[in-house]
Amino acid sequence: GDWREPNNITAVFEIMNELEKYYGTNIKRRVVTGYSMGAVGSWLMPIEQAGYFSAAIPIAGYPIRAPLDCQTPSYAIMSDKDEVFALEPFQILIDELQKKECPVKAEIISGAGHYDIGAFQSALSNAVAWLGDMWGAKLE
């Protein structure tokens, strides 16, 4: 299934809760990220449980439904040549969120197709630096 299936959303949170029982995680630094359909989920998950994630980094995808989260800081990455998710709806989404003064930052990379995953590496490094700035820590 996909993100329209409530059981899939529930499963992700159940997995997260199980992982946190066994690993020393910092619940104030939970980040959701994903690529393509995972990006759709990373836009959606903060809406499902407000305050659970401290940040979201969706890469090469945008939400399949409203409402949009305006609480969780987000660093969204998209390519201007993505053949699966068109750039224009992404730009409209980002403009809408920024007009509402939502904590969203967007980076558009140039020339990469949707399946050129390696082309997103530099933008993802920028997103990690953004997290470090937000948390007041150097992250690599």
Side-chain angles (χ1 to χ4, degrees):
D2 62 23
W3 296 114
R4 290 175 278 233
E5 289 290 326
N7 291 338
N8 293 338
I9 295 165
T10 300
V12 169
F13 285 108
E14 287 175 356
I15 291 168
M16 291 288 295
N17 290 331
E18 284 299 310
L19 288 170
E20 288 178 349
K21 287 179 185 178
Y22 299 102
Y23 295 97
T25 59
N26 182 340
I27 63 171
K28 293 181 181 179
R29 291 187 176 181
R30 286 185 188 124
V31 178
V32 60
T33 188
Y35 188 91
S36 190
M37 184 57 79
V40 174
S42 66
W43 283 105
L44 176 65
M45 299 309 279
I47 298 166
E48 294 297 318
Q49 284 196 25
Y52 189 87
F53 295 102
S54 61
I57 305 173
I59 306 165
Y62 40 77
I64 53 176
R65 67 175 169 87
L68 299 174
D69 177 45
C70 196
Q71 303 301 314
T72 306
S74 300
Y75 193 108
I77 303 168
M78 182 63 79
S79 173
D80 62 354
K81 299 296 183 197
D82 193 305
E83 60 270 31
V84 175
F85 289 89
L87 182 61
E88 184 179 359
F90 175 79
Q91 290 176 310
I92 291 168
L93 167 70
I94 298 300
D95 289 346
E96 179 183 328
L97 290 170
Q98 289 177 340
K99 284 178 188 171
K100 293 179 181 180
E101 298 184 9
C102 300
V104 63
K105 180 176 176 117
E107 182 170 346
I108 299 170
I109 65 170
S110 181
H114 186 77
Y115 301 101
D116 187 7
I117 297 169
F120 291 83
Q121 183 176 353
S122 178
L124 184 55
S125 292
N126 294 340
V128 170
W130 167 80
L131 283 173
D133 291 345
M134 188 170 56
W135 291 337
K138 182 166 173 57
L139 304 176
E140 295 185 32

